[in-house]
Amino acid sequence: MQILRIDSATTGEQSVTRKLTDELTRHFREKHPDAKVVERDLVADPLPHIDPITTKAIRTAPETHEEAVAAAYPDERAVLDEFLASDVVIVGAPMYNFSIPSQLKAWLDRLGVPGVTFRYSEAGPEGLAGGRKVVIASARGGAYSNDDMAENQESLLATMFGFLGVDDLSFVRVEKTGFGPEAIEEGLAAAKAEIAKL
């Protein structure tokens, strides 16, 4: 049993999603005391945005790699293997400017691998990376719920993980984080009640 925790908020101790990923990690460790926990902080240890070399390393067979691609392959593949080895994946995903942090997008770009996490068939795309639980810790400064202004944050994540075959996907959300400490505490209390049900 492996639990993977991903953090992407750049606001340090003020981060609401980091408070949520703390709570989620604690919750799942209590449910699975023998689980291995792997943590990846995309701010403290950022992944570079993909480029021609990393794209080839991610998407092509190792036996076809030239020297620069072969050198990049182990680190690129390690990100994907970490995800595939995990039974529970906790993703801290704050809304930044109506989308997700670019650090988180760089991580997602390493998960979509043809023939490994998805494939195309006559019937259309088929996700190959199911069989794991993914929980998104979401935080937003305003009160957006699921309206169009949130389209490029939670909907993007639901689409991406759905495309990869993940059908056990949950969102734990705190809204109105820009409204002050009382709103944050109220939101966190509600979110903790939701976490207890997972």
Side-chain angles (χ1 to χ4, degrees), residues 95 98 146-157 159:
M95 177 192 273
F98 306 103
N146 288 318
D147 68 16
D148 290 345
M149 293 184 80
E151 185 67 25
N152 296 315
Q153 184 219 13
E154 289 188 7
S155 293
L156 182 153
L157 293 162
T159 298

Side-chain angles (χ1 to χ4, degrees), residues 81-94:
D81 287 344
E82 200 172 70
F83 171 75
L84 292 175
S86 299
D87 304 282
V88 176
V89 180
I90 299 164
V91 181

